[in-house]
Amino acid sequence: QSVLTQPPSASGTPGQRVTIPCSGSNSNIGTNTVNWYQVLPGAAPKLLIYSDDQRPSGVPDRFSGSKSGTSASLAISGLQSEDEADYFCAAWDDNLNGLYVFGTGTTVTVL
Amino acid sequence: QVQLQESGPGLVKPSQILSLTCTVSHGSISNGAYCWSWIRQHPGKGLEWIGYIYHTGSDHYNPSLKSRVSISVDTSKNQFSLRLNAVTAADTAMYYCARTYYDSVWGSFRLDSWGQGTLVTVSS
């Protein structure tokens, strides 16, 4: 049911910058704010970015979010081994009387 | 720091009812600034939002599950619960509860604190 599209995988070496795109439509990203969640192996999802580009307290500033039109992206600067995880974008979708939709997810591998 | 903990049976038979409870601690479920959501993740797959409820009982569900799901709240116990009817193997998933911030004016909806999750398997 994912209406937000992400590449299945991304990778980089320690210290590199990795960018994860998230493509949506006018009913979700184009109208509402975007969040990003990090899912470490064996752990519960964690809110990483909210309201397009805001970091919750405790999230390192090497994580940043941006949005333009119906697309958003998550950037990880200075990639670290502990950043190996699945990353999901998400946004409220105004279709079907409204529902919260997640992206297809991207697995980040640190080489 | 609010904490959430899911509880309930880990095994449910096909066609029966899946019932889970989320207990909220270090925070009040009656805080009107938040609503409370259930989310699930199928094995090896993505996340699916199930629905939310406010402490007032006002709720909203994912249309794909609306005919089978209900969420209730017990403010006296600081808990909210999920009920999913007529389960099949397709309902096998990790189920999470989460505190939710929702501002419909600004189109802002986020799950800012999550429980650790509970795995529910549907099998005879």
Side-chain angles (χ1 to χ4, degrees):
Chain A
Q1 188 195 1
S2 295
V3 298
L4 305 181
T5 304
Q6 301 175 234
S9 63
S11 62
T13 57
Q16 277 191 328
R17 175 184 173 91
V18 171
T19 301
I20 302 170
C22 172
S23 178
S25 64
N26 286 326
S27 64
N28 42 67
I29 295 178
T31 304
N32 302 306
T33 63
V34 177
N35 307 312
W36 289 89
Y37 299 91
Q38 178 191 56
V39 186
L40 293 167
K46 169 189 169 183
L47 181 64
L48 197 66
I49 297 288
Y50 69 95
S51 295
D52 301 336
D53 58 8
Q54 301 298 301
R55 281 186 306 276
S57 174
V59 173
D61 60 7
R62 65 177 184 276
F63 292 97
S64 62
S66 63
K67 186 176 87 170
S68 179
T70 60
S71 295
S73 64
L74 173 71
I76 310 174
S77 302
L79 191 66
Q80 299 184 8
S81 58
E82 58 259 41
D83 299 333
E84 275 208 344
D86 291 331
Y87 293 85
F88 294 87
C89 59
W92 187 260
D93 193 304
D94 292 333
N95 283 336
L96 300 174
N97 202 33
L99 74 160
Y100 193 55
V101 293
F102 290 93
T104 48
T106 299
T107 299
V108 169
T109 302
V110 181
L111 301 171
Chain B
Q1 177 91 4
V2 69
Q3 293 181 355
L4 300 95
Q5 177 69 59
E6 304 87 352
S7 59
L11 181 65
V12 181
K13 289 182 168 49
S15 80
Q16 296 197 340
I17 299 169
L18 181 160
S19 184
L20 298 174
T21 294
C22 181
T23 301
V24 179
S25 57
H26 305 290
S28 174
I29 204 168
S30 297
N31 184 337
Y34 298 100
C35 56
W36 305 88
S37 289
W38 285 97
I39 308 97
R40 68 183 183 179
Q41 184 171 26
H42 295 97
K45 296 186 179 179
L47 296 160
E48 181 179 32
W49 173 75
I50 298 171
Y52 70 68
I53 193 165
Y54 282 92
H55 71 283
T56 57
S58 175
D59 56 16
H60 190 78
Y61 301 111
N62 188 320
S64 69
L65 295 167
K66 188 175 181 179
S67 63
R68 297 194 294 129
V69 69
S70 67
I71 300 175
S72 59
V73 63
D74 186 337
T75 56
S76 68
K77 295 181 179 179
N78 228 30
Q79 295 176 333
F80 62 108
S81 298
L82 170 71
R83 178 185 172 105
L84 183 64
N85 298 324
V87 298
T88 70
D91 295 308
T92 293
M94 183 73 81
Y95 285 78
Y96 297 98
C97 58
R99 189 179 74 171
T100 306
Y101 176 81
Y102 182 31
D103 183 338
S104 60
V105 173
W106 293 102
S108 180
F109 186 101
R110 61 183 180 261
L111 307 162
D112 65 4
S113 294
W114 295 62
Q116 65 185 25
T118 187
L119 178 63
V120 178
T121 301
V122 178
S123 175
S124 56

